[in-house]
Amino acid sequence: MKTAFIFPGQGSQSVGMLSDASGHWPIVEQTFAEASAVLGYDLWHLCQNGPAEELNRTMVTQPALLTASVALWRQWFVAEGHKPDFLAGHSLGEYSALVAAESLDFVDAVKLVQLRGELMQGAVPAGEGRMAAILGLEDADVVAACEEAAAGAVVSAVNFNAPGQVVIAGETAAVDRAIEACKEKGARKAMPLPVSVPSHCALMKGAAEELAKALDEVSFNDAVIPVVQNVSAAVCQDRDTLKANLVKQLYSPVLWTDSVRTLTGQGVSVAVECGAGKVLAGLIKRIDRGLAVHGVETQDALDDALKAFAQS
């Protein structure tokens, strides 16, 4: 039996996240202090006190979630946890996975995800991009609805999160047309999401070009732990491929369902969601109930995860 650590992306943040851990685990606030020195503001104070509107700004959210995940990853080893066999991260979470894999330095990662957030926010003028969640349709039907609704505009399926749960993104009017097309095809729900950035679609190609320049200035290493990447759902350790796929990830769909199936196909039976919240655990229940997912945000959760790893 194999093990994996999985790292969440945007949507897992909340004011007060990791507050229970900080009083018991000094490494948490130490990790946030490292990130704050890079960012130029007190990231821990912001995460604990908000306001939520500031934490939810994508150029703040991204370093906050990365730092939370890395802090918990470090605490795992303080608690004498074993290295997992595989790593994976959902969208932004892939940067956390690459830090854990020793492919990317934490300080470099903080700088990169802050820039990533800025580039994504600036890629599309406010109001001109949209994302929507489509529930209760087959993946192929969502893809077909987007193709029917495009009419020369950008709209596509961008997050294949779980069976019957797909997110679409693109230009506002085209997404609205796709929502209606999905409803006509029998979607249980098709609703706009409260986000301003249409992630993982063709509108992000300009941002990806700028991100590629920044990635070229950062040192990458081969991953010491294999990483299942978003754009391919394939296991990778080669530094050049890992870096190239980070660029593609910005404008390509997140193949999370396939990524989880890759992990289980490799024999993974126990996973740890290493970060704020339980979003990925919820998705995995819809993908493969045979994969046990543990958290590590509290001492009790950490103890349970350590026991599960010891038994695997």
Side-chain angles (χ1 to χ4, degrees):
M1 293 186 292
K2 302 290 181 66
T3 58
F5 263 57
I6 53 177
F7 300 88
Q10 289 193 86
S12 294
Q13 74 276 6
S14 62
V15 174
M17 63 185 188
L18 272 63
S19 59
D20 291 340
S22 66
H24 306 286
W25 304 336
I27 195 67
V28 171
E29 289 196 45
Q30 291 171 21
T31 304
F32 272 85
E34 284 182 53
S36 297
V38 174
L39 297 168
Y41 60 86
D42 190 336
L43 182 61
W44 178 252
H45 183 271
L46 176 57
C47 287
Q48 297 310 300
N49 299 286
E53 294 78 9
E54 180 66 15
L55 180 60
N56 291 336
R57 292 174 62 218
T58 187
M59 62 281 293
V60 176
T61 305
Q62 297 201 28
L65 288 173
L66 167 76
T67 304
S69 288
V70 171
L72 293 175
W73 170 257
R74 290 173 171 178
Q75 176 58 32
W76 174 259
F77 293 103
V78 171
E80 300 184 351
H82 298 299
K83 281 188 176 181
D85 298 295
F86 296 94
L87 304 167
H90 187 286
S91 186
L92 166 70
E94 193 163 287
Y95 287 80
S96 302
L98 292 176
V99 173
E102 299 178 28
S103 180
L104 186 59
D105 179 75
F106 174 55
V107 168
D108 287 335
V110 171
K111 295 175 183 176
L112 284 170
V113 299
Q114 182 186 40
L115 175 63
R116 183 177 183 266
E118 292 171 352
L119 292 171
M120 291 171 68
Q121 190 69 62
V124 180
E128 294 187 14
R130 175 166 288 180
M131 300 184 79
I134 311 299
L135 306 181
L137 274 188
E138 297 290 332
D139 292 355
D141 290 331
V142 178
V143 171
C146 290
E147 292 173 350
E148 294 167 12
V154 173
V155 59
S156 59
V158 297
N159 285 9
F160 295 93
N161 286 331
Q165 186 171 334
V166 178
V167 174
I168 65 175
E171 296 173 73
T172 299
V175 171
D176 288 343
R177 292 194 298 270
I179 288 173
E180 295 307 311
C182 287
K183 289 178 179 177
E184 291 173 5
K185 291 180 182 293
R188 181 164 51 86
K189 284 187 180 180
M191 52 195 176
L193 294 174
V195 297
S196 59
V197 177
S199 304
H200 302 295
C201 72
L203 297 177
M204 291 292 123
K205 283 193 173 180
E209 291 173 1
E210 294 302 313
L211 181 64
K213 296 176 184 177
L215 287 167
D216 282 341
E217 297 176 0
V218 171
S219 176
F220 271 77
N221 302 308
D222 291 342
V224 299
I225 303 172
V227 178
V228 178
Q229 290 198 279
N230 287 186
V231 302
S232 62
V235 178
C236 182
Q237 289 183 266
D238 174 69
R239 61 183 179 182
D240 293 331
T241 304
L242 292 167
K243 182 167 73 170
N245 283 341
L246 282 185
V247 177
K248 293 178 185 176
Q249 186 213 65
L250 212 54
Y251 59 84
S252 302
V254 173
L255 305 180
W256 186 248
T257 300
D258 288 345
S259 296
V260 172
R261 288 172 175 161
T262 295
L263 290 172
T264 57
Q266 293 286 336
V268 172
S269 60
V270 177
V272 165
E273 182 166 4
C274 187
K278 301 178 181 178
V279 171
L280 298 184
L283 295 178
I284 286 174
K285 284 182 181 179
R286 298 176 60 90
I287 299 169
D288 189 338
R289 286 185 173 271
L291 177 55
V293 184
H294 299 266
V296 284
E297 277 191 274
T298 66
Q299 187 64 56
D300 287 346
L302 176 62
D303 290 343
D304 288 343
L306 289 167
K307 290 176 184 176
F309 263 55
Q311 294 167 1
S312 65

